[in-house]
Amino acid sequence: MKRSPWKLSPLFSPHSIAVIGASPKGGAGSIVIRNLQRLGFAGTIHPVNPKYADVLGYPCHPSLETIPGPVDCAAVLLGDKAILPILKTAHARGVKGVWAFASGFAETGEQGAAMQREIRDFCRETGLLFCGPNCVGYANITDGVGMYSAPLPRSFRKGSIGVIAQSGAVLLALGNSPREAGFSRLISSGNEAALGLADYMDYLVDDPKTAVIALFVETIRDPEGVADACRRARGAGKPVIALKVGRSELACLVAATHTGAIAGSDRTLDAFFRRWHVIRVNTLDELLETSILFSGLRGAPTTSRRVGMSTVSGGEMGMLADICSDYGLEFPPLSEEGKAGLRNVLPPYAPLANPLDAWGSGDLKEAYPASLSILAREPAVDLLIVSQDMPSNMADEQIAQFSDVAAAAVRARADSGKPVVVVSNISGGIDPSIRKILDDGGVPALQGSTEGVGAVAAWLDWNRALPEETAPPFPFQPISLPSWTPAAASSPTRCRRGFSPTSASRPCANA
């Protein structure tokens, strides 16, 4: 195993930041400063630009060397040719960490790759922590600091999900999502000239503010390091959820021109993820919803697939039953005691079964909470899924009505001690007032039928994974993961969930 030699705290928790290339006329430099203000950065900001005396109310310095006092980190908003000279100056100045926004390196061809190798060699010789190039930087949400070149979203929440994305646009999409998933760190790794995926993962494994590690991966440049980070994450109880692109020939070619990456054989990478307990997803929606569920259900390690489900729609109940069956979830029949309890609260024509159509006569204040409580207390039920659509465009009357459903889900969670998950079958937003009821009550709210149920199945699989010492051996040497070839791309695997703890699980349709 190969643990990262880098200690990244100085990069992610600086007390003073130089913003090289800052300008009062706008651009990425001013965005970095405004982001620091929005994050509530308590340290010192030093704009650097010889053209200006001040930028956004801060004294502006002509160069990095002229800044008085210590500088912990530097954000570099200059072109590709300036990066290596700035790194040398920063190291001489005692700067510990640097982030560079510029593109024009390995993704452009041999000349750019040569410049990138020079950066790599210099950082390895000196120990300078370097994020980039060709990336949007990072936002440390929980500690209120960052070097981030895109405007932060209108609203964001502190949370426990740490994200590493090799695509800057993907990181922005996740961070800007109206889901407000609750992030601890948003990290754009870009070309990974010095620090790479394994190094950032190692940092998140040790980070007490991060409980879930979410990845968007185009290539794994250091399989041994990533394997060790995954092993350590598993030991720390931190799930790793990955969206790995590159099943098709086109995706591999795109990765090569985007960040200079070479995607590996998908079947080999899929086996690699399975061996190291990585949950594999296929879309950004799945990545978000699965991360949200794992973050929301921390400390509730249920492994049973015996589910109780309530709905207020017979049609949606049939749809969800199909999806749950696809993922191997089980619906144990109701006990006679449970049926008797439901007869006392639901009308005579209501079917008494699991899944349960708890709409009854439409009484969501009294009958529905009582029905949900009875279902949650069923001895054969170990987890409760509440199907309730709660999109953000509802009328006030419906918000009030479905708030009663949310409150009932929270009470069922508190009374039964069992995990409860609410699934809104329509994606595109959740009413904020209903979401707050669920958040405050420790009940995760998920969007999308397939994404929500798939996240539940992945969570159950991860919880029942075999211990490390009894896990089946990885069938390949991690360090020799093959590069993409036309033959490998001709038989891609469509994997719904890349992690399978036992042969009985069903994450892959074509495995």
Side-chain angles (χ1 to χ4, degrees):
M1 292 297 173
K2 187 183 78 170
R3 183 170 179 178
S4 171
W6 305 92
K7 302 301 179 187
L8 303 191
S9 292
L11 176 67
F12 289 106
S13 302
H15 299 290
S16 57
I17 298 175
V19 184
I20 302 172
S23 168
K25 297 180 180 180
S30 64
I31 291 172
V32 170
I33 293 174
R34 294 190 188 281
N35 283 339
L36 286 167
Q37 293 171 333
R38 288 203 58 206
L39 287 166
F41 179 52
T44 307
I45 301 171
H46 300 290
V48 176
N49 194 322
K51 297 179 181 178
Y52 307 106
D54 65 85
V55 172
L56 300 179
Y58 300 95
C60 190
H61 307 275
S63 67
L64 187 59
E65 298 96 322
T66 60
I67 298 175
V71 176
D72 295 326
C73 284
V76 184
L77 292 310
L78 301 176
D80 55 352
K81 303 297 190 298
I83 303 305
L84 185 58
I86 288 288
L87 292 178
K88 292 179 178 178
T89 301
H91 174 63
R93 179 71 171 72
V95 174
K96 302 300 182 186
V98 176
W99 156 66
F101 175 59
S103 56
F105 292 90
E107 77 281 6
T108 63
E110 181 50 40
Q111 183 177 356
M115 287 196 299
Q116 187 167 311
R117 286 193 294 271
E118 287 187 90
I119 291 173
R120 177 200 64 193
D121 293 344
F122 178 77
C123 292
R124 287 181 177 178
E125 291 169 5
T126 61
L128 183 66
L129 302 173
F130 179 65
C131 176
N134 189 23
C135 70
V136 299
Y138 76 86
N140 178 343
I141 304 297
T142 55
D143 295 334
V145 60
M147 296 187 287
Y148 198 67
S149 63
L152 286 167
R154 287 194 297 266
S155 59
F156 51 87
R157 294 191 304 150
K158 296 179 180 180
S160 64
I161 302 170
V163 181
I164 307 166
Q166 291 176 334
S167 164
V170 165
L171 192 75
L172 300 187
L174 295 172
N176 290 335
S177 167
R179 293 292 279 118
E180 296 182 41
F183 298 111
S184 60
R185 311 283 186 264
L186 293 168
I187 302 170
S188 171
S189 62
N191 285 23
E192 300 181 353
L195 299 175
L197 178 63
D199 304 307
Y200 296 120
M201 289 181 67
D202 214 52
Y203 165 75
L204 293 181
V205 170
D206 291 333
D207 175 32
K209 306 290 180 61
T210 297
V212 177
I213 300 172
L215 309 177
F216 181 88
V217 182
E218 295 177 68
T219 188
I220 297 178
R221 297 178 172 92
D222 178 12
E224 259 191 313
V226 171
D228 187 58
C230 291
R231 180 188 60 79
R232 294 186 62 243
R234 179 67 189 175
K238 297 187 179 185
V240 178
I241 304 160
L243 198 172
K244 167 67 177 70
V245 300
R247 289 191 304 271
S248 66
E249 178 179 355
L250 177 60
C252 294
L253 294 174
V254 168
T257 58
H258 175 212
T259 57
I262 299 177
S265 160
D266 191 69
R267 289 186 182 277
T268 303
L269 288 167
D270 194 52
F272 178 86
F273 282 154
R274 289 170 184 250
R275 172 63 182 88
W276 300 113
H277 308 297
V278 175
I279 301 116
R280 188 173 186 181
V281 297
N282 290 303
T283 68
L284 295 180
D285 283 335
E286 287 182 355
L287 184 63
L288 267 179
E289 299 309 313
T290 308
S291 298
I292 288 168
L293 180 70
F294 273 82
S295 177
L297 288 184
R298 283 177 294 159
T302 298
T303 61
S304 167
R305 303 180 87 79
R306 301 186 305 176
V307 174
M309 185 167 69
S310 72
T311 75
V312 292
S313 163
E316 287 187 350
M317 181 169 66
M319 174 188 68
L320 282 167
D322 286 342
I323 297 170
C324 289
S325 177
D326 289 342
Y327 281 103
L329 301 185
E330 304 167 7
F331 293 94
L334 297 175
S335 67
E336 291 304 317
E337 182 181 357
K339 289 179 182 178
L342 289 171
R343 288 191 191 99
N344 291 328
V345 295
L346 292 175
Y349 53 81
L352 305 181
N354 180 27
L356 177 67
D357 184 351
W359 173 253
S361 59
D363 177 6
L364 299 183
K365 277 193 173 296
E366 301 294 336
Y368 183 91
S371 300
L372 199 61
S373 178
I374 292 168
L375 182 61
R377 290 199 305 269
E378 280 290 278
V381 167
D382 296 307
L383 178 146
L384 193 64
I385 297 177
V386 177
S387 169
Q388 177 56 66
D389 301 325
M390 43 189 178
S392 56
N393 196 33
M394 294 187 296
D396 291 342
E397 295 87 346
Q398 275 199 318
I399 292 173
Q401 190 178 42
F402 295 152
S403 292
D404 291 332
V405 175
V410 169
R411 285 198 294 274
R413 163 84 171 84
D415 293 343
S416 70
K418 298 175 182 178
V420 178
V421 178
V422 173
V423 175
S424 181
N425 297 289
I426 298 294
S427 298
I430 292 178
D431 178 80
S433 60
I434 296 178
R435 188 182 65 189
K436 186 176 188 308
I437 294 171
L438 296 170
D439 285 347
D440 291 347
V443 175
L446 305 180
Q447 288 187 155
S449 306
T450 300
E451 292 84 357
V453 173
V456 171
W459 179 71
L460 293 171
D461 279 346
W462 192 82
N463 282 333
R464 67 176 182 164
L466 294 171
E468 177 67 26
E469 60 271 14
T470 60
F474 180 62
F476 307 93
Q477 289 298 321
I479 200 64
S480 62
L481 289 177
S483 299
W484 171 84
T485 64
S490 66
S491 57
T493 301
R494 172 63 180 176
C495 184
R496 300 183 72 176
R497 299 284 162 184
F499 163 58
S500 171
T502 69
S503 59
S505 295
R506 310 158 28 146
C508 289
N510 301 316

